Amino acid sequence: MDYIQYLSQFNLLKELSTEDLLEMDQLTSITVFQKNTFIQTPETYREGFYFIKKGKVRLYKLSAEGKQFTSDILGEGNVFGEMDVLSLGTRENYIEAIEESHICLMNRDRFESFIIHRPGFMMNLLKVLSERINGMSQLTENLAIGNLHEKIVFVLLKLADQFGVTEYDDYYQINYSLSHQEIANLVGATREAVSVSIQELAKDKRIRTGFKTIAVHRDLFVERKL
């Protein structure tokens, strides 16, 4: 694939001109990470700004007991990284490719030089940062005060927003393969407790489950907007 076309498909870069993309071609490097490999750990942190061209990555932290807590799952067009002038809050995270992922990197000096002359790009970047902060604030609040059913529903709706849904009858199936353990990592609970809650939510017809698939009843989307 032509590399300029490759970069132009990033959501964040949609406002850039062909000339800007040509310059980006000279400033970024791309690495392919296979499924279940680390892009970063807290010990291997590397300063820079990363763009996900293809694939999905999981950001998580470990408790003192070694328990994983997933803070986010990022897909194509999303960004992560840390610099002196900009932080997306990912420095202390383990970042793992959960499917084959193509990651582009721009180092600090090149990135700072690039954004100085592109206010439109910077505005898009600030929007992404604001959405990330708002999303993490909502997640933290929900995990602190909600019961397990509410936490699971919140996370499922968040994943539906991120990865889209396919409509079946009165349900919307999330376009993302999801195991009970992955949900447990997202809500900070045990897999056993999550499995029980999912069975109860399914019995109440709030969700519908299949093999690594979950569909959310349309009423949950309506309730969220009220």
Side-chain angles (χ1 to χ4, degrees):
M1 177 181 287
D2 177 75
Y3 192 46
I4 303 306
Q5 180 184 359
Y6 204 71
L7 285 171
S8 69
Q9 293 179 30
F10 283 117
N11 296 343
L12 190 61
L13 306 185
K14 63 184 179 180
E15 300 299 327
L16 296 183
S17 67
T18 301
E19 182 180 355
D20 290 335
L21 293 174
L22 284 168
E23 183 173 349
M24 286 285 287
D25 183 18
Q26 305 298 318
L27 299 180
T28 58
S29 60
I30 187 165
T31 303
V32 177
F33 292 88
Q34 299 303 314
K35 181 179 179 179
N36 298 328
T37 59
F38 283 113
I39 300 168
Q40 170 191 299
T41 70
E43 292 74 29
T44 63
Y45 156 76
R46 176 184 176 189
E47 188 176 67
F49 201 70
Y50 297 80
F51 305 86
I52 304 171
K53 168 57 185 71
K54 178 182 178 182
K56 295 183 180 68
V57 306
R58 179 169 75 103
L59 283 64
Y60 70 91
K61 293 185 178 182
L62 292 178
S63 69
E65 297 77 27
K67 183 178 179 180
Q68 295 184 10
F69 175 74
T70 299
S71 55
D72 215 341
I73 297 173
L74 304 180
E76 296 173 7
N78 287 134
V79 296
F80 62 90
E82 298 283 330
M83 296 184 183
D84 289 341
V85 296
L86 178 69
S87 171
L88 293 178
T90 59
R91 181 169 188 161
E92 299 301 322
N93 282 261
Y94 292 84
I95 304 179
E96 176 188 27
I98 53 179
E99 60 185 50
E100 182 182 293
S101 299
H102 297 201
I103 309 296
C104 288
L105 167 67
M106 182 181 289
N107 68 33
R108 181 183 65 187
D109 293 340
R110 289 175 172 177
F111 181 75
E112 291 178 357
S113 175
F114 186 82
I115 64 174
I116 286 173
H117 303 99
R118 293 166 180 82
F121 177 85
M122 189 59 188
M123 291 301 295
N124 277 340
L125 188 58
L126 290 174
K127 180 181 178 182
V128 169
L129 179 58
S130 176
E131 290 174 349
R132 178 73 58 80
I133 293 172
N134 184 55
M136 291 305 298
S137 176
Q138 291 179 352
L139 178 61
T140 301
E141 179 180 353
N142 182 271
L143 294 181
I145 65 177
N147 62 42
L148 187 53
H149 282 33
E150 292 169 343
K151 293 176 183 180
I152 291 172
V153 168
F154 178 86
V155 164
L156 293 178
L157 292 174
K158 179 176 181 289
L159 292 173
D161 289 339
Q162 282 183 271
F163 301 111
V165 295
T166 302
E167 184 175 359
Y168 295 102
D169 304 320
D170 290 331
Y171 290 84
Y172 294 96
Q173 182 172 306
I174 300 171
N175 297 332
Y176 179 71
S177 178
L178 198 62
S179 69
H180 288 192
Q181 183 59 61
E182 288 171 314
I183 296 173
N185 291 339
L186 283 161
V187 299
T190 65
R191 182 185 59 79
E192 292 77 12
V194 165
S195 295
V196 171
S197 290
I198 287 176
Q199 290 172 6
E200 293 172 351
L201 287 168
K203 184 178 180 180
D204 293 339
K205 298 184 178 180
R206 300 178 74 190
I207 66 174
R208 188 165 63 190
T209 62
F211 178 68
K212 286 196 173 184
T213 64
I214 293 185
V216 182
H217 197 281
R218 65 170 70 242
D219 288 349
L220 293 179
F221 289 91
V222 175
E223 291 170 5
R224 180 176 62 173
K225 295 178 181 179
L226 295 178

